[in-house]
Amino acid sequence: MEILNYAFMQRALLAAALVGITAPAVGIYLVQRRQALMGDGIGHVAMTGVGLGFLLSWSPVWMATLVSVLGAVLMELIRWYGKTRGDVALAMLFYGGMAGGVMFINLAPGGSNANLTSYLFGSLSTVSESDVTAICLLAAFVVLVTLGLRRQLFAVSQDEEFARVTGLPVRALNLLTAVTAAVTVTVAMRVVGLLLVSALMVVPVAAAQQLTRSFAATFAVSVAIGVAVTLSGTVTSYYQDVPPGATIVLLTIGAFVLMTALAAPLARRRARAASAAGPAADPAECRVPATRGAADDAGV
């Protein structure tokens, strides 16, 4: 393939594939926790990190990671202790992060708002080898957390009180989820941009939920959708000369529409199958009560 003859496209495709894996892998827990817009808020805070990276002549990716992690931890603390004024504090954090990014990058030698464009909306053609190295390391961390602790994270996402009763460190797991989301935002900012990253964390999960019935299936299908749309969007942006971030997000929304269209006939088929199997099932009073945990029932 012609597209693979160029080193910058090889880096772009690798970065896109890693983002397609990590964004839905974290997004599924955010959707379960009803924090679908958390990625958008972290993206605003990460702008300050990008600006500081230019100002201090340090890697914008690593600086954005540091700042967004601190911002995510602060968001969790506000959620715990903010009470009635928590939403105001979060709003100031988000808008302050955006303003800080613009200010710092303009204070940097030779810096201007034009330098922020590739981070706001993504720019696969400018992904460097150092960016790929950072993305690979950060993506490995995200995959280890989301897969290695999937049972614990699922339990906390479903019911914090029940998880606390069972002895799980709920606050530590909540902080870990927030930190992992922050890392994912910085992984994805070079591909889809800080302003669009939240869509790639949420929409593939919502699309997968239209067809799947267990957590494990939703996880697998959402990651498959994420990889498919990021790679397809990257290839499309190369051949059609269109913005990669916008292309990927529009393809993701298209996948959601397709899954929604397929969900209705599939639901009717399942209903007919359940109705046909109904008479052969044991009466409710004769069934053996379930003994496994909620995570096992969900297919985790």
Side-chain angles (χ1 to χ4, degrees):
M1 292 179 63
E2 175 194 353
I3 193 173
L4 296 178
N5 293 332
Y6 301 99
F8 77 92
M9 286 308 300
Q10 295 173 8
R11 294 192 295 268
L13 288 169
L14 176 58
L18 292 174
V19 171
I21 294 171
T22 55
V26 174
I28 190 169
Y29 299 107
L30 299 182
V31 171
Q32 292 289 330
R33 289 156 55 100
R34 294 177 176 83
Q35 294 179 333
L37 295 180
M38 184 176 185
D40 189 50
I42 295 175
H44 285 68
V45 176
M47 286 181 60
T48 293
V50 173
L52 278 174
F54 280 99
L55 180 62
L56 302 177
S57 299
W58 203 47
S59 168
V61 174
W62 287 112
M63 183 61 77
T65 301
L66 175 61
V67 173
S68 59
V69 165
L70 293 176
V73 171
L74 185 57
M75 287 169 61
E76 275 299 300
L77 294 176
I78 291 173
R79 189 172 73 89
W80 294 341
Y81 303 113
K83 297 182 181 179
T84 57
R85 297 188 179 181
D87 56 338
V88 177
L90 288 174
M92 289 191 292
L93 178 65
F94 297 162
Y95 299 133
M98 182 178 292
V102 174
M103 179 62 70
F104 287 135
I105 203 166
N106 278 277
L107 292 175
S112 68
N113 291 343
N115 299 114
L116 277 177
T117 303
S118 63
Y119 294 92
L120 290 175
F121 302 104
S123 180
L124 287 170
S125 62
T126 60
V127 176
S128 64
E129 291 185 6
S130 61
D131 289 336
V132 171
T133 300
I135 290 171
C136 288
L137 293 174
L138 295 172
F141 167 78
V142 173
V143 171
L144 285 174
V145 170
T146 54
L147 288 180
L149 297 175
R150 63 189 183 279
R151 291 179 180 272
Q152 293 88 336
L153 294 177
F154 173 81
V156 173
S157 300
Q158 286 293 105
D159 190 336
E160 287 191 6
E161 292 302 322
F162 176 78
R164 187 175 288 107
V165 170
T166 59
L168 289 176
V170 172
R171 288 197 170 180
L173 290 170
N174 280 336
L175 280 176
L176 183 60
T177 301
V179 169
T180 308
V183 171
T184 303
V185 167
T186 55
V187 168
M189 70 179 181
R190 298 295 276 157
V191 178
V192 295
L194 294 172
L195 296 183
L196 298 175
V197 62
S198 187
L200 198 57
M201 297 171 74
V202 173
V203 180
V205 178
Q209 287 178 333
Q210 304 302 309
L211 298 180
T212 57
R213 304 178 68 181
S214 71
F215 178 85
T218 302
F219 190 101
V221 173
S222 62
V223 168
I225 293 172
V227 173
V229 296
T230 50
L231 292 180
S232 299
T234 302
V235 173
T236 302
S237 68
Y238 172 78
Y239 285 109
Q240 300 299 323
D241 192 23
V242 291
T247 304
I248 290 170
V249 171
L250 290 175
L251 287 174
T252 309
I253 295 173
F256 174 80
V257 173
L258 177 62
M259 294 292 188
T260 302
L262 294 175
L266 182 60
R268 288 194 294 268
R269 184 179 303 175
R270 286 172 175 168
R272 286 195 297 267
S275 178
D282 292 332
E285 62 270 20
C286 298
R287 293 175 189 164
V288 178
T291 57
R292 302 185 69 185
D296 294 327
D297 293 338
V300 179

Short mmCIF file of all heavy atoms in Angstrom, two decimals, residues 104-169:
data_model
loop_
_atom_site.label_atom_id
_atom_site.label_comp_id
_atom_site.label_asym_id
_atom_site.label_seq_id
_atom_site.Cartn_x
_atom_site.Cartn_y
_atom_site.Cartn_z
N PHE A 104 -0.02 30.64 28.13
CA PHE A 104 1.35 30.12 28.18
C PHE A 104 1.96 29.98 26.80
O PHE A 104 3.15 30.25 26.61
CB PHE A 104 1.37 28.78 28.91
CG PHE A 104 1.16 28.88 30.39
CD1 PHE A 104 0.30 28.01 31.05
CD2 PHE A 104 1.82 29.85 31.14
CE1 PHE A 104 0.10 28.11 32.41
CE2 PHE A 104 1.62 29.96 32.50
CZ PHE A 104 0.76 29.08 33.15
N ILE A 105 1.17 29.54 25.84
CA ILE A 105 1.75 29.33 24.51
C ILE A 105 2.06 30.66 23.83
O ILE A 105 2.97 30.76 23.01
CB ILE A 105 0.81 28.46 23.64
CG1 ILE A 105 1.63 27.79 22.54
CG2 ILE A 105 -0.33 29.29 23.05
CD1 ILE A 105 0.92 26.67 21.84
N ASN A 106 1.33 31.70 24.19
CA ASN A 106 1.64 33.02 23.64
C ASN A 106 2.84 33.66 24.33
O ASN A 106 3.51 34.53 23.75
CB ASN A 106 0.43 33.95 23.73
CG ASN A 106 -0.56 33.74 22.60
OD1 ASN A 106 -0.40 34.28 21.51
ND2 ASN A 106 -1.58 32.93 22.84
N LEU A 107 3.13 33.24 25.57
CA LEU A 107 4.31 33.72 26.27
C LEU A 107 5.57 32.99 25.84
O LEU A 107 6.69 33.47 26.07
CB LEU A 107 4.13 33.56 27.79
CG LEU A 107 3.08 34.45 28.45
CD1 LEU A 107 2.94 34.08 29.93
CD2 LEU A 107 3.44 35.93 28.30
N ALA A 108 5.42 31.81 25.21
CA ALA A 108 6.57 31.03 24.78
C ALA A 108 7.28 31.72 23.62
O ALA A 108 6.64 32.39 22.80
CB ALA A 108 6.12 29.63 24.35
N PRO A 109 8.61 31.60 23.53
CA PRO A 109 9.35 32.21 22.43
C PRO A 109 8.86 31.68 21.08
O PRO A 109 8.89 30.48 20.82
CB PRO A 109 10.80 31.78 22.70
CG PRO A 109 10.84 31.48 24.16
CD PRO A 109 9.49 30.94 24.50
N GLY A 110 8.39 32.57 20.23
CA GLY A 110 7.91 32.17 18.91
C GLY A 110 6.57 31.46 18.94
O GLY A 110 6.14 30.90 17.92
N GLY A 111 5.90 31.44 20.08
CA GLY A 111 4.63 30.74 20.20
C GLY A 111 3.46 31.60 19.77
O GLY A 111 3.51 32.83 19.83
N SER A 112 2.41 30.94 19.32
CA SER A 112 1.18 31.63 18.94
C SER A 112 0.03 30.64 19.03
O SER A 112 0.24 29.43 19.21
CB SER A 112 1.27 32.20 17.52
OG SER A 112 1.32 31.15 16.57
N ASN A 113 -1.18 31.15 18.90
CA ASN A 113 -2.34 30.27 18.97
C ASN A 113 -2.34 29.22 17.87
O ASN A 113 -2.97 28.16 18.01
CB ASN A 113 -3.62 31.09 18.88
CG ASN A 113 -3.84 31.95 20.12
OD1 ASN A 113 -3.23 31.71 21.16
ND2 ASN A 113 -4.69 32.96 20.01
N ALA A 114 -1.63 29.49 16.77
CA ALA A 114 -1.57 28.53 15.68
C ALA A 114 -0.90 27.22 16.13
O ALA A 114 -1.22 26.15 15.61
CB ALA A 114 -0.81 29.12 14.49
N ASN A 115 0.00 27.30 17.11
CA ASN A 115 0.66 26.10 17.61
C ASN A 115 -0.31 25.17 18.34
O ASN A 115 -0.04 23.97 18.49
CB ASN A 115 1.80 26.47 18.57
CG ASN A 115 2.88 27.30 17.90
OD1 ASN A 115 3.08 28.45 18.22
ND2 ASN A 115 3.58 26.71 16.94
N LEU A 116 -1.41 25.74 18.82
CA LEU A 116 -2.38 24.92 19.55
C LEU A 116 -3.31 24.12 18.64
O LEU A 116 -3.93 23.16 19.08
CB LEU A 116 -3.25 25.82 20.45
CG LEU A 116 -2.69 26.22 21.81
CD1 LEU A 116 -3.65 27.16 22.51
CD2 LEU A 116 -2.42 24.99 22.67
N THR A 117 -3.40 24.51 17.37
CA THR A 117 -4.38 23.91 16.48
C THR A 117 -4.24 22.39 16.38
O THR A 117 -5.22 21.65 16.44
CB THR A 117 -4.29 24.54 15.08
OG1 THR A 117 -4.46 25.95 15.18
CG2 THR A 117 -5.35 23.96 14.16
N SER A 118 -3.00 21.92 16.22
CA SER A 118 -2.79 20.48 16.05
C SER A 118 -3.16 19.70 17.31
O SER A 118 -3.50 18.52 17.23
CB SER A 118 -1.34 20.20 15.66
OG SER A 118 -0.45 20.60 16.70
N TYR A 119 -3.08 20.37 18.47
CA TYR A 119 -3.45 19.70 19.72
C TYR A 119 -4.94 19.81 20.01
O TYR A 119 -5.51 18.94 20.66
CB TYR A 119 -2.64 20.30 20.89
CG TYR A 119 -1.17 20.02 20.79
CD1 TYR A 119 -0.31 20.91 20.16
CD2 TYR A 119 -0.64 18.85 21.31
CE1 TYR A 119 1.04 20.65 20.06
CE2 TYR A 119 0.72 18.57 21.21
CZ TYR A 119 1.55 19.48 20.58
OH TYR A 119 2.90 19.21 20.47
N LEU A 120 -5.57 20.86 19.52
CA LEU A 120 -7.00 21.02 19.73
C LEU A 120 -7.83 20.11 18.83
O LEU A 120 -8.85 19.58 19.25
CB LEU A 120 -7.40 22.48 19.48
CG LEU A 120 -6.91 23.51 20.50
CD1 LEU A 120 -7.29 24.90 20.04
CD2 LEU A 120 -7.50 23.22 21.87
N PHE A 121 -7.39 19.93 17.58
CA PHE A 121 -8.18 19.18 16.61
C PHE A 121 -7.46 17.97 16.04
O PHE A 121 -8.02 17.26 15.22
CB PHE A 121 -8.59 20.11 15.46
CG PHE A 121 -9.38 21.31 15.91
CD1 PHE A 121 -8.79 22.55 15.98
CD2 PHE A 121 -10.71 21.18 16.29
CE1 PHE A 121 -9.50 23.66 16.42
CE2 PHE A 121 -11.43 22.28 16.72
CZ PHE A 121 -10.83 23.52 16.79
N GLY A 122 -6.24 17.72 16.47
CA GLY A 122 -5.49 16.57 15.98
C GLY A 122 -4.73 16.89 14.71
O GLY A 122 -5.19 17.66 13.87
N SER A 123 -3.56 16.27 14.57
CA SER A 123 -2.76 16.45 13.36
C SER A 123 -1.83 15.25 13.23
O SER A 123 -0.70 15.26 13.71
CB SER A 123 -1.95 17.75 13.43
OG SER A 123 -1.17 17.92 12.27
N LEU A 124 -2.33 14.21 12.58
CA LEU A 124 -1.58 12.96 12.48
C LEU A 124 -0.29 13.11 11.70
O LEU A 124 0.68 12.41 11.95
CB LEU A 124 -2.46 11.89 11.83
CG LEU A 124 -3.58 11.34 12.72
CD1 LEU A 124 -4.52 10.47 11.91
CD2 LEU A 124 -3.00 10.53 13.86
N SER A 125 -0.26 14.03 10.75
CA SER A 125 0.93 14.17 9.91
C SER A 125 2.12 14.73 10.68
O SER A 125 3.26 14.63 10.22
CB SER A 125 0.62 15.07 8.70
OG SER A 125 0.25 16.37 9.13
N THR A 126 1.87 15.34 11.85
CA THR A 126 2.96 15.93 12.63
C THR A 126 3.36 15.07 13.83
O THR A 126 4.13 15.51 14.67
CB THR A 126 2.56 17.34 13.12
OG1 THR A 126 1.39 17.22 13.96
CG2 THR A 126 2.26 18.26 11.96
N VAL A 127 2.85 13.84 13.91
CA VAL A 127 3.21 12.96 15.02
C VAL A 127 4.67 12.54 14.85
O VAL A 127 5.04 11.94 13.85
CB VAL A 127 2.30 11.72 15.05
CG1 VAL A 127 2.75 10.76 16.15
CG2 VAL A 127 0.86 12.14 15.30
N SER A 128 5.50 12.87 15.83
CA SER A 128 6.93 12.57 15.76
C SER A 128 7.24 11.22 16.41
O SER A 128 6.37 10.59 17.03
CB SER A 128 7.72 13.67 16.46
OG SER A 128 7.40 13.71 17.85
N GLU A 129 8.50 10.79 16.27
CA GLU A 129 8.90 9.53 16.90
C GLU A 129 8.81 9.63 18.41
O GLU A 129 8.44 8.65 19.08
CB GLU A 129 10.32 9.18 16.46
CG GLU A 129 10.44 8.79 14.99
CD GLU A 129 11.84 8.33 14.63
OE1 GLU A 129 12.68 8.20 15.56
OE2 GLU A 129 12.09 8.08 13.44
N SER A 130 9.16 10.78 18.97
CA SER A 130 9.05 10.94 20.43
C SER A 130 7.58 10.90 20.86
O SER A 130 7.26 10.37 21.94
CB SER A 130 9.68 12.26 20.87
OG SER A 130 9.04 13.37 20.26
N ASP A 131 6.68 11.45 20.04
CA ASP A 131 5.25 11.37 20.35
C ASP A 131 4.78 9.92 20.36
O ASP A 131 4.00 9.50 21.23
CB ASP A 131 4.43 12.17 19.33
CG ASP A 131 4.60 13.67 19.48
OD1 ASP A 131 4.94 14.11 20.60
OD2 ASP A 131 4.39 14.39 18.49
N VAL A 132 5.23 9.14 19.37
CA VAL A 132 4.83 7.74 19.29
C VAL A 132 5.34 6.97 20.51
O VAL A 132 4.62 6.13 21.08
CB VAL A 132 5.36 7.10 17.99
CG1 VAL A 132 5.15 5.59 18.00
CG2 VAL A 132 4.67 7.71 16.79
N THR A 133 6.58 7.25 20.92
CA THR A 133 7.12 6.59 22.11
C THR A 133 6.28 6.90 23.34
O THR A 133 5.92 6.01 24.13
CB THR A 133 8.58 7.03 22.36
OG1 THR A 133 9.37 6.69 21.22
CG2 THR A 133 9.15 6.35 23.59
N ALA A 134 5.93 8.18 23.51
CA ALA A 134 5.10 8.58 24.65
C ALA A 134 3.73 7.93 24.57
O ALA A 134 3.20 7.44 25.58
CB ALA A 134 4.96 10.10 24.69
N ILE A 135 3.13 7.91 23.39
CA ILE A 135 1.80 7.32 23.21
C ILE A 135 1.83 5.84 23.53
O ILE A 135 0.92 5.31 24.17
CB ILE A 135 1.29 7.58 21.78
CG1 ILE A 135 0.96 9.06 21.61
CG2 ILE A 135 0.06 6.74 21.48
CD1 ILE A 135 0.64 9.45 20.17
N CYS A 136 2.87 5.13 23.10
CA CYS A 136 2.97 3.69 23.37
C CYS A 136 3.08 3.41 24.86
O CYS A 136 2.40 2.51 25.39
CB CYS A 136 4.19 3.11 22.64
SG CYS A 136 4.01 2.97 20.85
N LEU A 137 3.91 4.17 25.56
CA LEU A 137 4.07 3.97 27.00
C LEU A 137 2.78 4.28 27.76
O LEU A 137 2.36 3.51 28.64
CB LEU A 137 5.21 4.84 27.52
CG LEU A 137 6.62 4.47 27.03
CD1 LEU A 137 7.64 5.51 27.51
CD2 LEU A 137 7.01 3.08 27.53
N LEU A 138 2.15 5.37 27.41
CA LEU A 138 0.91 5.76 28.09
C LEU A 138 -0.22 4.78 27.76
O LEU A 138 -1.02 4.43 28.64
CB LEU A 138 0.51 7.17 27.68
CG LEU A 138 1.48 8.28 28.12
CD1 LEU A 138 1.09 9.61 27.49
CD2 LEU A 138 1.52 8.40 29.63
N ALA A 139 -0.28 4.32 26.51
CA ALA A 139 -1.31 3.36 26.14
C ALA A 139 -1.13 2.03 26.87
O ALA A 139 -2.12 1.39 27.26
CB ALA A 139 -1.28 3.13 24.62
N ALA A 140 0.11 1.62 27.07
CA ALA A 140 0.37 0.38 27.82
C ALA A 140 -0.15 0.49 29.24
O ALA A 140 -0.75 -0.46 29.79
CB ALA A 140 1.87 0.08 27.82
N PHE A 141 0.04 1.65 29.86
CA PHE A 141 -0.48 1.88 31.21
C PHE A 141 -2.00 1.78 31.23
O PHE A 141 -2.59 1.12 32.11
CB PHE A 141 -0.03 3.25 31.72
CG PHE A 141 -0.75 3.72 32.96
CD1 PHE A 141 -0.41 3.22 34.20
CD2 PHE A 141 -1.77 4.65 32.87
CE1 PHE A 141 -1.09 3.64 35.35
CE2 PHE A 141 -2.44 5.08 34.00
CZ PHE A 141 -2.10 4.58 35.25
N VAL A 142 -2.66 2.40 30.26
CA VAL A 142 -4.12 2.40 30.21
C VAL A 142 -4.65 0.97 30.04
O VAL A 142 -5.60 0.55 30.72
CB VAL A 142 -4.63 3.30 29.06
CG1 VAL A 142 -6.13 3.15 28.88
CG2 VAL A 142 -4.27 4.74 29.34
N VAL A 143 -4.04 0.21 29.14
CA VAL A 143 -4.51 -1.16 28.89
C VAL A 143 -4.31 -2.04 30.13
O VAL A 143 -5.19 -2.84 30.49
CB VAL A 143 -3.76 -1.76 27.68
CG1 VAL A 143 -4.07 -3.26 27.55
CG2 VAL A 143 -4.17 -1.04 26.40
N LEU A 144 -3.18 -1.89 30.80
CA LEU A 144 -2.92 -2.67 32.01
C LEU A 144 -3.96 -2.38 33.09
O LEU A 144 -4.46 -3.30 33.76
CB LEU A 144 -1.52 -2.37 32.54
CG LEU A 144 -0.35 -2.99 31.77
CD1 LEU A 144 0.98 -2.50 32.32
CD2 LEU A 144 -0.41 -4.51 31.83
N VAL A 145 -4.30 -1.12 33.27
CA VAL A 145 -5.28 -0.75 34.30
C VAL A 145 -6.67 -1.22 33.92
O VAL A 145 -7.37 -1.84 34.73
CB VAL A 145 -5.27 0.78 34.53
CG1 VAL A 145 -6.44 1.20 35.42
CG2 VAL A 145 -3.95 1.21 35.15
N THR A 146 -7.11 -0.93 32.71
CA THR A 146 -8.49 -1.22 32.32
C THR A 146 -8.77 -2.72 32.20
O THR A 146 -9.91 -3.16 32.42
CB THR A 146 -8.84 -0.53 31.00
OG1 THR A 146 -7.89 -0.91 30.00
CG2 THR A 146 -8.84 0.97 31.16
N LEU A 147 -7.76 -3.51 31.88
CA LEU A 147 -7.95 -4.96 31.80
C LEU A 147 -7.59 -5.66 33.11
O LEU A 147 -8.31 -6.53 33.57
CB LEU A 147 -7.11 -5.55 30.66
CG LEU A 147 -7.59 -5.25 29.24
CD1 LEU A 147 -6.66 -5.89 28.22
CD2 LEU A 147 -9.01 -5.75 29.02
N GLY A 148 -6.48 -5.24 33.72
CA GLY A 148 -6.03 -5.91 34.94
C GLY A 148 -6.96 -5.69 36.13
O GLY A 148 -7.10 -6.57 36.99
N LEU A 149 -7.62 -4.53 36.18
CA LEU A 149 -8.52 -4.21 37.30
C LEU A 149 -9.96 -4.10 36.84
O LEU A 149 -10.75 -3.38 37.45
CB LEU A 149 -8.08 -2.90 37.96
CG LEU A 149 -6.69 -2.90 38.60
CD1 LEU A 149 -6.34 -1.51 39.11
CD2 LEU A 149 -6.63 -3.91 39.76
N ARG A 150 -10.33 -4.80 35.79
CA ARG A 150 -11.67 -4.63 35.22
C ARG A 150 -12.78 -5.02 36.19
O ARG A 150 -13.83 -4.37 36.22
CB ARG A 150 -11.81 -5.42 33.91
CG ARG A 150 -11.66 -6.93 34.06
CD ARG A 150 -11.59 -7.60 32.70
NE ARG A 150 -11.52 -9.05 32.80
CZ ARG A 150 -10.41 -9.73 33.06
NH1 ARG A 150 -9.28 -9.06 33.25
NH2 ARG A 150 -10.40 -11.04 33.13
N ARG A 151 -12.59 -6.06 36.99
CA ARG A 151 -13.63 -6.48 37.94
C ARG A 151 -13.84 -5.41 39.00
O ARG A 151 -14.98 -5.06 39.34
CB ARG A 151 -13.26 -7.81 38.59
CG ARG A 151 -13.30 -9.00 37.63
CD ARG A 151 -12.90 -10.29 38.34
NE ARG A 151 -12.92 -11.41 37.43
CZ ARG A 151 -13.98 -12.16 37.18
NH1 ARG A 151 -15.12 -11.88 37.81
NH2 ARG A 151 -13.93 -13.18 36.34
N GLN A 152 -12.74 -4.90 39.56
CA GLN A 152 -12.85 -3.89 40.61
C GLN A 152 -13.43 -2.59 40.06
O GLN A 152 -14.30 -1.97 40.69
CB GLN A 152 -11.47 -3.64 41.22
CG GLN A 152 -10.90 -4.83 41.99
CD GLN A 152 -10.10 -5.78 41.12
OE1 GLN A 152 -10.30 -5.84 39.90
NE2 GLN A 152 -9.20 -6.52 41.73
N LEU A 153 -12.94 -2.17 38.90
CA LEU A 153 -13.43 -0.92 38.31
C LEU A 153 -14.90 -1.04 37.92
O LEU A 153 -15.67 -0.09 38.06
CB LEU A 153 -12.59 -0.55 37.08
CG LEU A 153 -11.13 -0.19 37.36
CD1 LEU A 153 -10.40 0.08 36.05
CD2 LEU A 153 -11.02 1.01 38.29
N PHE A 154 -15.30 -2.21 37.43
CA PHE A 154 -16.70 -2.42 37.08
C PHE A 154 -17.58 -2.34 38.33
O PHE A 154 -18.64 -1.70 38.31
CB PHE A 154 -16.87 -3.78 36.41
CG PHE A 154 -18.31 -4.16 36.16
CD1 PHE A 154 -19.00 -3.65 35.07
CD2 PHE A 154 -18.98 -5.00 37.03
CE1 PHE A 154 -20.33 -3.98 34.85
CE2 PHE A 154 -20.30 -5.35 36.82
CZ PHE A 154 -20.98 -4.83 35.72
N ALA A 155 -17.13 -2.97 39.42
CA ALA A 155 -17.93 -2.97 40.65
C ALA A 155 -18.12 -1.54 41.17
O ALA A 155 -19.22 -1.15 41.56
CB ALA A 155 -17.25 -3.84 41.71
N VAL A 156 -17.06 -0.75 41.16
CA VAL A 156 -17.15 0.62 41.64
C VAL A 156 -18.02 1.46 40.72
O VAL A 156 -18.80 2.31 41.17
CB VAL A 156 -15.74 1.23 41.78
CG1 VAL A 156 -15.83 2.72 42.11
CG2 VAL A 156 -14.95 0.51 42.85
N SER A 157 -17.91 1.23 39.42
CA SER A 157 -18.70 2.00 38.46
C SER A 157 -20.19 1.70 38.58
O SER A 157 -21.03 2.58 38.38
CB SER A 157 -18.23 1.70 37.03
OG SER A 157 -16.87 2.05 36.87
N GLN A 158 -20.53 0.46 38.92
CA GLN A 158 -21.92 0.07 39.04
C GLN A 158 -22.57 0.56 40.32
O GLN A 158 -23.67 1.10 40.31
CB GLN A 158 -22.04 -1.46 38.96
CG GLN A 158 -21.84 -2.03 37.57
CD GLN A 158 -22.97 -1.63 36.63
OE1 GLN A 158 -22.79 -0.78 35.78
NE2 GLN A 158 -24.12 -2.24 36.78
N ASP A 159 -21.89 0.35 41.46
CA ASP A 159 -22.49 0.70 42.75
C ASP A 159 -21.37 0.93 43.76
O ASP A 159 -20.78 -0.01 44.28
CB ASP A 159 -23.40 -0.44 43.22
CG ASP A 159 -24.25 -0.05 44.42
OD1 ASP A 159 -23.85 0.86 45.17
OD2 ASP A 159 -25.32 -0.65 44.61
N GLU A 160 -21.09 2.20 44.04
CA GLU A 160 -20.00 2.52 44.95
C GLU A 160 -20.26 2.01 46.36
O GLU A 160 -19.35 1.54 47.04
CB GLU A 160 -19.76 4.04 44.98
CG GLU A 160 -19.10 4.59 43.74
CD GLU A 160 -18.66 6.02 43.93
OE1 GLU A 160 -18.76 6.54 45.07
OE2 GLU A 160 -18.20 6.63 42.94
N GLU A 161 -21.50 2.11 46.82
CA GLU A 161 -21.80 1.68 48.19
C GLU A 161 -21.60 0.18 48.34
O GLU A 161 -21.03 -0.28 49.34
CB GLU A 161 -23.25 2.06 48.54
CG GLU A 161 -23.47 3.56 48.66
CD GLU A 161 -22.57 4.20 49.70
OE1 GLU A 161 -22.34 3.56 50.75
OE2 GLU A 161 -22.09 5.31 49.47
N PHE A 162 -22.08 -0.60 47.37
CA PHE A 162 -21.89 -2.05 47.43
C PHE A 162 -20.41 -2.39 47.38
O PHE A 162 -19.93 -3.27 48.12
CB PHE A 162 -22.63 -2.72 46.28
CG PHE A 162 -22.42 -4.21 46.22
CD1 PHE A 162 -23.10 -5.06 47.07
CD2 PHE A 162 -21.53 -4.76 45.30
CE1 PHE A 162 -22.91 -6.43 47.02
CE2 PHE A 162 -21.32 -6.12 45.25
CZ PHE A 162 -22.02 -6.96 46.11
N ALA A 163 -19.65 -1.69 46.52
CA ALA A 163 -18.22 -1.95 46.41
C ALA A 163 -17.52 -1.64 47.72
O ALA A 163 -16.60 -2.36 48.14
CB ALA A 163 -17.63 -1.13 45.27
N ARG A 164 -17.96 -0.58 48.38
CA ARG A 164 -17.34 -0.20 49.66
C ARG A 164 -17.63 -1.26 50.72
O ARG A 164 -16.75 -1.61 51.51
CB ARG A 164 -17.86 1.17 50.10
CG ARG A 164 -17.16 1.72 51.33
CD ARG A 164 -17.62 3.13 51.64
NE ARG A 164 -17.10 4.10 50.67
CZ ARG A 164 -17.82 4.69 49.73
NH1 ARG A 164 -19.12 4.42 49.61
NH2 ARG A 164 -17.28 5.55 48.91
N VAL A 165 -18.85 -1.78 50.72
CA VAL A 165 -19.21 -2.82 51.69
C VAL A 165 -18.39 -4.08 51.49
O VAL A 165 -18.03 -4.77 52.45
CB VAL A 165 -20.72 -3.12 51.60
CG1 VAL A 165 -21.08 -4.37 52.41
CG2 VAL A 165 -21.54 -1.93 52.09
N THR A 166 -18.09 -4.40 50.23
CA THR A 166 -17.32 -5.61 49.94
C THR A 166 -15.83 -5.45 50.23
O THR A 166 -15.07 -6.42 50.09
CB THR A 166 -17.49 -6.02 48.48
OG1 THR A 166 -17.05 -4.95 47.62
CG2 THR A 166 -18.94 -6.36 48.17
N GLY A 167 -15.42 -4.25 50.64
CA GLY A 167 -14.03 -4.05 51.03
C GLY A 167 -13.14 -3.45 49.97
O GLY A 167 -11.93 -3.34 50.17
N LEU A 168 -13.70 -3.04 48.85
CA LEU A 168 -12.88 -2.45 47.80
C LEU A 168 -12.48 -1.02 48.18
O LEU A 168 -13.28 -0.29 48.76
CB LEU A 168 -13.64 -2.43 46.47
CG LEU A 168 -13.86 -3.78 45.79
CD1 LEU A 168 -14.72 -3.62 44.54
CD2 LEU A 168 -12.53 -4.43 45.43
N PRO A 169 -11.26 -0.61 47.82
CA PRO A 169 -10.83 0.78 48.09
C PRO A 169 -11.46 1.72 47.07
O PRO A 169 -10.84 2.09 46.07
CB PRO A 169 -9.31 0.70 47.95
CG PRO A 169 -9.08 -0.42 46.98
CD PRO A 169 -10.18 -1.41 47.23
#
